[in-house]
Amino acid sequence: MTIDDAIASLARADRLLVALDFDGTLSPLVDDPMSARMAPAARAAVDAIASSPDTTVALVSGRSLSDLRVIAEHGDDSVLLLAGSHGAEHWTPADGTRHPAAGEPTAAERAERDRLRAEAEALVAGVPGAWIEPKTFGFAVPSRTVAADERAELHARVDALMAAQAPHWRRRTGHHIVEYAFRAEGKDTALAWLRAHTGATAVLFAGDDVTDEDALGSLGPGDVGVRVGPGQTSASVRVAGIPELAQMLVRLAHERTRTRE
């Protein structure tokens, strides 16, 4: 499918959901995860498509919801829906509150999470640039700031810990990161909830990483998946990077407004 074909199809949808990954899709990848912010062109494109008729925009991220709100500069008055923790946490404009998809972590889950996180921190403590990123339902091991020849050993250490003590946790990989979670939701789960919540008749989902393939692979007829950058994908459209995705979203906003006037 060409970008022109995708825009023409989505512009005619009765009710459109535009769901977007954040890191690497709207924001450049950075060494300090909490310093990530939307590229200016991406911010303008999100604002444009969110203002087009009969259209809802959602951010879908592996980030914990509280962190996603910070990096997306997402205020209580925002019209953007959020799905954090790969869909295990939701935020809607209707009441501006956090909704865990299947309840809060239990005391036992929190205790196991904190114990394993502490053990992982001890394992990586001697590796320059290594650290553990806390998550609501687990933790992640970023390695972007670790020397390339030390990354494999770093991840092997934590993999061994989790295989021995929490083999039931879900393991995910991404751009220089491995994440472990005691909840199994993926971005396909997030997309299913968003579709039902918004009553969308068509969906555009865009992402740049392995975890986005859960959502891209769940799309149906009339939907459009966009892969941002290189990598194997089930998306029907590929763009080179964030600027090209922003251009596509702006074009879609203009075409949707024109078509539905």
Side-chain angles (χ1 to χ4, degrees):
M1 176 182 289
T2 68
I3 291 177
D4 289 347
D5 290 339
I7 290 172
S9 173
L10 294 171
R12 296 191 297 268
D14 289 337
R15 182 72 199 166
L16 178 63
L17 168 65
V18 176
L20 306 166
D21 170 54
F22 191 86
D23 295 286
T25 299
L26 299 175
S27 167
L29 298 173
V30 293
D31 290 346
D32 174 10
M34 292 309 297
S35 71
R37 294 294 185 272
M38 284 192 207
R43 170 68 71 182
V46 167
D47 290 344
I49 193 64
S51 298
S52 61
D54 301 313
T55 304
T56 302
V57 177
L59 304 181
V60 181
S61 175
R63 301 275 199 138
S64 295
L65 187 62
S66 58
D67 289 351
L68 178 58
R69 295 200 72 194
V70 171
I71 62 175
E73 301 174 288
H74 183 271
D76 289 343
D77 59 347
S78 177
V79 299
L80 303 186
L81 276 67
L82 302 179
S85 298
H86 302 282
E89 297 179 286
H90 304 153
W91 188 98
T92 62
D95 52 16
T97 57
R98 171 179 173 271
H99 302 279
E104 297 284 357
T106 65
E109 288 171 334
R110 291 196 300 272
E112 181 182 47
R113 176 199 67 191
D114 294 346
R115 176 181 62 80
L116 290 169
R117 185 186 293 165
E119 292 193 30
E121 287 173 343
L123 284 176
V124 308
V127 180
W131 62 290
I132 299 299
E133 180 182 356
K135 300 269 189 172
T136 304
F137 302 103
F139 63 89
V141 187
S143 57
R144 181 173 295 277
T145 54
V146 175
D149 60 355
E150 295 190 52
R151 290 171 185 164
E153 173 60 23
L154 170 73
H155 290 303
R157 290 184 194 178
V158 184
D159 278 345
L161 167 71
M162 299 306 291
Q165 299 197 32
H168 56 290
W169 281 35
R170 182 169 180 178
R171 179 185 187 274
R172 295 181 176 90
T173 61
H175 294 310
H176 301 306
I177 192 168
V178 178
E179 180 182 343
Y180 308 89
F182 59 81
R183 292 281 289 271
E185 287 92 344
K187 292 184 180 180
D188 52 338
T189 310
L191 210 57
W193 172 76
L194 287 164
R195 190 192 298 269
H197 182 78
T198 61
T201 58
V203 174
L204 181 154
F205 179 84
D208 75 306
D209 208 346
V210 177
T211 56
D212 298 310
E213 291 300 318
D214 287 343
L216 289 167
S218 74
L219 296 173
D223 299 334
V224 173
V226 181
R227 175 76 179 210
V228 181
Q232 187 173 0
T233 186
S234 57
S236 52
V237 172
R238 188 188 298 271
V239 295
I242 295 171
E244 291 77 15
L245 175 65
Q247 292 169 9
M248 179 179 177
L249 293 176
V250 169
R251 287 183 57 198
L252 175 58
H254 290 163
E255 186 63 16
R256 190 155 174 79
T257 299
R258 185 191 67 80
T259 300
R260 301 189 67 78
E261 284 180 344

